Amino acid sequence: MKALIKKFLEEENGATAIEYGLIAALVGVAVIAGVRALGTELNETFSSVSSTLDKR
């Protein structure tokens, strides 16, 4: 039983998987934030173009 507990405490695969999961979550948050910011900017650009075309 002691050997099993010692092996469990020395195991690092779970920690590595958690680290990769956290990195993936942070990348996902960054992508979502970038898309939202870019989406707002694109919406404003298309609205401006549409408004200019309506005036002509």
Side-chain angles (χ1 to χ4, degrees), residues 9-29:
L9 293 175
E10 291 175 354
E11 184 69 38
E12 294 185 5
N13 288 339
T16 302
I18 291 172
E19 290 169 356
Y20 284 133
L22 289 173
I23 290 169
L26 289 174
V27 168
V29 168

Side-chain angles (χ1 to χ4, degrees), residues 26-47:
L26 289 174
V27 168
V29 168
V31 167
I32 290 170
V35 167
R36 290 188 80 176
L38 184 62
T40 302
E41 197 171 311
L42 280 175
N43 189 22
E44 291 173 3
T45 302
F46 284 127
S47 294

